[in-house]
């Protein structure tokens, strides 16, 4: 059969692998060097480290700077940049106008694209997608499951930072912010102008668009645990386990009369509070 087309290679390569090497996790990485000038890169400039030509596209303005490392089947393409001490590995993709820098780590099948930024010591893994103008930074973690179709997603103008985490099929988008030690997990969605912080856990199928969509209280009478109530699914989450109000009270009474009485009072107070909200809205 006669081929109808062929893949075109760039007439002039924009970079080459130098003879400068380093060993990292049993792999040999090569420092790259620019062969042409483009964007803020001049002919002869040394860049970061790659394992092969497959890690950085010869097209457009994408570049790996400083001591950043890209290896495995990871790919940087289009106008994306990886800088400083960032590490991109496995099958991760950094593309479009995305920026990854500082000591951020992108691994597994994660994708960073559009104008998204990942920096600080943030870690993105699994099949997580960070896109649009989203930012993930500080010590934040975003993780899906690389072996099955689970994609944690951060997009829009959303920000995830401090030591916050987003996992499994959870999504954070719009202008939402997730920070401090907050966790968004399962199939929960946080959007709008919502701010999730402290020791809050938004889980199961919760939907939080406004700050009034969730309520956090602390068990000051016993074990100091934080409890998050999400109004969309009317569940109470304690250390990642979710309960209806009735079930939470039953579990509390199993521990002690005091614990049960306190939780019963708190659940009734929360339900009364939201009954007022619902009536006015």
């Amino acid at each position: 059969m006669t081929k109808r087309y062929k893949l075109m290679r760039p007439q002039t390569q924009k970079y080459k692998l130098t003879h400068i090497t380093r060993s990292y996790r049993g792999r040999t990485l090569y420092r790259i060097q620019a062969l042409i000038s483009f964007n803020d890169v001049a002919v002869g400039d040394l860049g970061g480290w790659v394992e092969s030509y497959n890690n950085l596209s010869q097209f457009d303005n994408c570049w790996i700077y400083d001591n950043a490392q890209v290896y495995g089947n990871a790919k940087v393409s289009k106008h994306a940049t990886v800088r400083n001490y960032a590490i991109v590995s496995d099958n991760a993709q950094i593309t479009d106008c995305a920026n990854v820098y500082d000591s951020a780590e992108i691994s597994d099948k994660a994708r960073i694209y559009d104008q998204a930024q990942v920096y600080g010591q943030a870690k993105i893994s699994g099949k997580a997608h960070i896109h649009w103008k989203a930012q993930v930074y500080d010590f934040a973690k975003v993780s899906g499951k690389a072996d099955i179709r689970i994609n944690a997603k951060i997009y829009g103008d959303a920000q995830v930072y401090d030591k916050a985490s987003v996992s499994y099929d959870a999504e954070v988008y719009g202008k939402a912010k997730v920070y401090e030690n907050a966790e968004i997990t399962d199939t929960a969605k946080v959007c709008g102008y919502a701010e999730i912080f402290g020791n809050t856990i938004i889980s199961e199928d919760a939907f939080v668009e406004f700050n009034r969509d969730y309520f956090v209280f602390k068990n000051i009478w016993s074990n100091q645990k934080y409890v998050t109530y999400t109004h969309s699914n009317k569940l109470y989450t304690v250390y990642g386990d979710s309960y209806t109000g009735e079930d939470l009270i039953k579990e509390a009474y199993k521990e002690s009369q005091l614990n049960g009485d306190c939780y019963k009072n708190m659940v009734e107070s929360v339900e009364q509070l939201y009954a007022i909200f619902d009536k006015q809205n």
Side-chain angles (χ1 to χ4, degrees), residues 38-227:
F38 59 95
N39 201 17
D40 61 348
V41 178
V43 174
D45 282 357
L46 292 175
W49 304 83
V50 299
E51 187 173 12
S52 74
Y53 282 107
N54 293 326
N55 298 134
L56 177 65
S57 172
Q58 294 280 6
F59 295 95
D60 303 313
N61 293 320
C62 55
W63 191 243
I64 302 167
Y65 295 79
D66 311 313
N67 279 297
Q69 300 178 148
V70 181
Y71 61 90
N73 293 314
K75 184 70 174 284
V76 180
S77 61
K78 296 188 178 178
H79 305 289
T81 61
V82 181
R83 302 171 182 267
N84 307 128
Y85 294 92
I87 297 174
V88 183
S89 63
D90 301 323
N91 293 285
Q93 295 185 43
I94 317 298
T95 189
D96 297 329
C97 295
N99 295 304
V100 177
Y101 53 101
D102 292 335
S103 296
E105 294 186 22
I106 317 297
S107 62
D108 297 327
K109 295 182 180 180
R111 291 193 62 200
I112 317 298
Y113 53 107
D114 295 331
Q115 298 179 57
Q117 296 188 59
V118 180
Y119 53 101
Q121 296 188 55
K123 294 184 178 181
I124 315 298
S125 61
K127 288 186 178 179
H129 284 203
I130 317 297
H131 59 113
W132 289 7
K133 294 182 179 180
Q135 296 184 48
V136 181
Y137 53 101
D138 292 334
F139 295 90
K141 295 181 179 180
V142 180
S143 59
K145 284 283 188 179
D147 54 341
I148 55 178
R149 190 175 179 178
I150 291 183
N151 303 324
K153 297 178 182 178
I154 316 296
Y155 55 101
D157 291 299
Q159 296 182 46
V160 179
Y161 54 101
D162 287 336
K163 293 183 178 180
S165 69
V166 180
S167 60
Y168 296 105
D169 263 329
E171 296 184 19
V172 180
Y173 56 100
K175 294 183 179 294
K177 295 181 180 180
V178 182
Y179 54 100
E180 293 180 349
N181 294 303
E183 298 179 32
I184 316 298
T185 189
D186 299 326
T187 59
K189 291 180 172 58
V190 175
C191 61
Y193 287 88
E195 293 192 20
I196 314 298
F197 56 95
N199 293 286
T200 304
I201 300 177
I202 307 296
S203 63
E204 301 290 343
D205 59 347
F207 180 81
V208 176
E209 184 177 9
F210 303 101
N211 290 340
R212 66 172 181 264
D213 292 336
Y214 75 101
F215 185 86
V216 182
F217 59 93
K218 185 179 181 180
N219 176 337
I220 61 172
W221 57 86
S222 177
N223 52 25
Q224 306 296 309
K225 290 181 179 179
Y226 286 88
V227 181

Side-chain angles (χ1 to χ4, degrees), residues 227-264:
V227 181
T228 303
Y229 170 76
T230 45
H231 193 48
S232 62
N233 55 9
K234 295 180 172 56
L235 291 179
Y236 295 81
T237 300
V238 188
Y239 275 11
D241 295 321
S242 297
Y243 307 87
T244 64
E246 182 180 356
D247 287 341
L248 179 62
I249 294 169
K250 287 180 180 178
E251 289 298 314
Y253 272 120
K254 290 178 182 179
E255 183 175 319
S256 69
Q257 183 70 36
L258 173 64
N259 202 40
D261 289 345
C262 290
Y263 269 113
K264 183 174 184 293

